Amino acid sequence: MVYDLRNHQIPTPLTVGGMVGAGVYALFNGLWAPVLLMIALTHVSDFNPREKRLAFALTLSAFSAIFQPATALICALILGFWVLWEFGILGGADVKLLIAATLVFGNPIVLIPIAVSGGIQGVIASLQKKREIPFVASIFCGTLLFVVYSYF
Amino acid sequence: MALRFLKDYRGIESTEVALIIAVVVLVAYGAYRLLGQNIAAIVTDIAGKI
């Protein structure tokens, strides 16, 4: 988060390490289809042209959801994050952290406090006439909120 | 090598995007609360047929 606030960039080893760690943790929790989808989408990202990437991503996500229906929503979310990155709406570092958070908790509800934190951050930034925000702060605050809330 | 996604270290979004994501996630959560059971049943049904 400190890196993002300072430079609006997050070192690749931090985000990739987080994503790999989350993937291993999710595998131990039985979320194999979303983890395989994450790996597959990482590879699909290098396909050309974009239509081919999108077609492969959609097909792989559908297969992941079908092979492990209990994780269909997580697979859909991973696809959604990836598509947002593909169209340049979200930064790669943020998408990797969002995927990691989703895999670690195995519960898409974690995205609600993250999204709400992002919305609040967006409103505050708009009032300050800022055009851009470091979204990783919202990811951090939202995840923290989710963890703390689960203890009450 | 598959590196384009992994190498992307951008960590910034526009304020509009953050607001839109907040709205979309809340609406999606509301829809899931309403239709979640039906969606799960359809996916399970397709998985069973395959």
Side-chain angles (χ1 to χ4, degrees):
Chain A
M1 189 171 76
V2 174
Y3 281 105
D4 193 27
L5 291 174
R6 280 184 187 161
N7 314 316
H8 299 314
Q9 293 174 354
I10 305 166
T12 302
L14 283 181
T15 53
V16 174
M19 203 168 75
V20 171
V24 172
Y25 182 78
L27 275 180
F28 280 109
N29 284 328
L31 301 175
W32 56 268
V35 174
L36 287 180
L37 177 63
M38 176 185 80
I39 296 165
L41 289 181
T42 303
H43 285 268
V44 166
S45 305
D46 282 356
F47 290 3
N48 279 313
R50 171 178 276 174
E51 290 75 19
K52 190 176 171 186
R53 288 198 292 275
L54 291 173
F56 266 93
L58 195 63
T59 309
L60 289 167
S61 303
F63 272 108
S64 302
I66 288 167
F67 283 128
Q68 199 176 20
T71 64
L73 187 58
I74 296 174
C75 293
L77 286 169
I78 290 174
L79 174 69
F81 296 143
W82 184 86
V83 169
L84 288 174
W85 168 77
E86 173 64 35
F87 284 93
I89 296 168
L90 283 179
D94 294 331
V95 167
K96 280 177 262 182
L97 291 176
L98 284 170
I99 291 174
T102 311
L103 287 177
V104 164
F105 293 108
N107 186 355
I109 302 295
V110 69
L111 297 174
I112 292 174
I114 291 174
V116 171
S117 304
I120 293 168
Q121 199 184 3
V123 169
I124 293 169
S126 296
L127 293 174
Q128 293 174 336
K129 310 283 182 202
K130 286 182 184 171
R131 297 283 302 160
E132 293 177 322
I133 55 169
F135 196 63
V136 76
S138 300
I139 297 173
F140 178 77
C141 292
T143 309
L144 193 67
L145 208 65
F146 179 79
V147 172
V148 169
Y149 183 75
S150 63
Y151 282 104
F152 292 102
Chain B
M1 279 295 288
L3 292 174
R4 196 171 73 89
F5 177 59
L6 295 181
K7 276 186 174 175
D8 187 352
Y9 51 76
R10 288 175 301 132
I12 189 162
E13 273 71 45
S14 68
T15 52
E16 294 87 352
V17 167
L19 290 169
I20 290 167
I21 288 173
V23 171
V24 168
V25 167
L26 290 175
V27 170
Y29 179 66
Y32 180 70
R33 295 284 293 185
L34 287 172
L35 308 169
Q37 294 297 323
N38 293 339
I39 295 168
I42 291 167
V43 173
T44 308
D45 185 45
I46 294 168
K49 283 176 181 167
I50 290 176

